[in-house]
Amino acid sequence: MTAVTGCSSPPTNNPDPDDIDQGIRTFDFRNTLWLDYSTLSGTPILLNLKLKNGRFEGKIDSPSRQNETLKYEIFGSPAFADVDDDGDEDAALALQSADQGMQLSWYMWVWQDGSAQQLHYPFYRHSRCDAAQTEVHPAESGFQVSTSLKSQKDTCAAPPMKKLQYFVSARNGYPIRIHPAPSAPDRDCFSEDMQKAVIRNPIAAKVAPEEAAPEIGEPEVYGRVEVSVTHEEFLLARLTTDERTVCGWVRRSAFGNQALEE
């Protein structure tokens, strides 16, 4: 495994590779039901996509996408690693959509009871405009994600300038970034321009903008709070103490009426 530069490798309790169950390698990802966590309608919805030979083309029974013909296809080949330390290999694989700027959404599949089950929330997303090749490789505690980022202020034609590398695992049915800092997995709020917010009560960020999503850590008071302001129920926040910075999703109600100005 290639470690993150300047950081130690994440801890692991994985069994010896010779003892791990590799049953997931026989699963037919190209001919099964996929979920896509779509946010084009503003409110996140799950699209059900029955792939055939690695592709989907058709209309979705969804209030926001009823009259659209959507196209999806599997991108690349799966990577395998044990993300939940249960002695079974799990998988990571990308689903590419023809709309949304050729967006790729990377999902985990966990091996349970002789079948693969998809975690519905993606652990990374990027579009064709990002112009960066994302690589996902097995690591001792999950998967290593390596990609490049561009400034949010850059045009689509601008090349990416910043390297990004982190590790993801799974917790309670959701992917989570575990290294170099515990955080939400799919957004890099560490480099985003955010608005300062005022909050003096203990808060805890979640790994996804959902009530069922696990919290990244125990509630605490953060010395610096920054947030991407939208009209959604959960806001992406960058929370900083003297020792660390956490990136995650926080309920809008936690900030109060005077803490946010759109």
Side-chain angles (χ1 to χ4, degrees):
M1 180 190 71
T2 302
V4 177
T5 303
C7 300
S8 60
S9 299
T12 177
N13 295 315
N14 281 4
D16 186 281
D18 293 335
D19 298 330
I20 199 167
D21 182 349
Q22 296 183 332
I24 197 169
R25 297 189 181 224
T26 65
F27 187 77
D28 187 2
F29 295 101
R30 296 173 58 82
N31 293 281
T32 193
L33 179 67
W34 279 70
L35 303 174
D36 186 52
Y37 192 90
S38 174
T39 56
L40 286 186
S41 62
T43 301
I45 58 173
L46 280 179
L47 302 180
N48 292 274
L49 311 167
K50 184 63 173 69
L51 268 61
K52 183 177 181 180
N53 296 325
R55 297 175 179 268
F56 172 88
E57 181 174 352
K59 296 183 179 181
I60 301 293
D61 184 17
S62 166
S64 62
R65 313 296 296 270
Q66 281 185 343
N67 297 319
E68 297 181 62
T69 298
L70 305 181
K71 296 181 180 180
Y72 286 82
E73 63 180 341
I74 289 178
F75 178 84
S77 300
F80 299 100
D82 185 1
V83 300
D84 47 12
D85 289 329
D86 64 352
D88 301 334
E89 272 190 337
D90 308 300
L93 190 57
L95 188 65
Q96 179 174 274
S97 63
D99 59 352
Q100 307 176 45
M102 297 295 288
Q103 180 169 275
L104 269 74
S105 300
W106 294 81
Y107 290 100
M108 289 184 189
W109 291 72
V110 296
W111 188 247
Q112 292 182 350
D113 300 324
S115 185
Q117 299 181 18
Q118 181 190 351
L119 304 190
H120 74 278
Y121 195 76
F123 66 84
Y124 188 62
R125 286 189 168 189
H126 62 96
S127 69
R128 181 173 56 185
C129 183
D130 294 326
Q133 181 178 358
T134 298
E135 297 182 356
V136 175
H137 297 288
E140 290 179 313
S141 296
F143 294 102
Q144 174 185 297
V145 181
S146 300
T147 188
S148 299
L149 300 175
K150 64 174 64 177
S151 169
Q152 292 182 320
K153 300 177 182 179
D154 287 343
T155 64
C156 188
M161 301 299 293
K162 178 184 176 182
K163 297 291 184 181
L164 173 65
Q165 187 177 89
Y166 61 93
F167 293 84
V168 291
S169 188
R171 179 189 296 176
N172 298 338
Y174 285 81
I176 179 173
R177 188 181 300 196
I178 58 172
H179 195 75
S183 293
D186 61 314
R187 297 281 296 277
D188 184 49
C189 80
F190 298 102
S191 63
E192 292 193 17
D193 292 330
M194 290 189 166
Q195 173 182 323
K196 291 183 180 180
V198 177
I199 182 167
R200 297 181 176 86
N201 298 324
I203 54 176
K206 290 176 171 284
V207 300
E210 300 179 3
E211 287 292 343
E215 294 179 345
I216 295 170
E218 296 294 327
E220 62 180 296
V221 176
Y222 290 89
R224 183 180 179 89
V225 177
E226 300 162 284
V227 64
S228 290
V229 181
T230 67
H231 294 285
E232 304 304 320
E233 180 182 356
F234 284 88
L235 305 179
L236 186 66
R238 184 165 56 221
L239 311 170
T240 303
T241 67
D242 292 338
E243 299 178 351
R244 68 187 185 285
T245 296
V246 171
C247 174
W249 297 90
V250 177
R251 294 180 186 86
R252 187 185 184 93
S253 59
F255 295 93
N257 295 328
Q258 298 181 350
L260 300 173
E261 296 181 3
E262 298 185 57

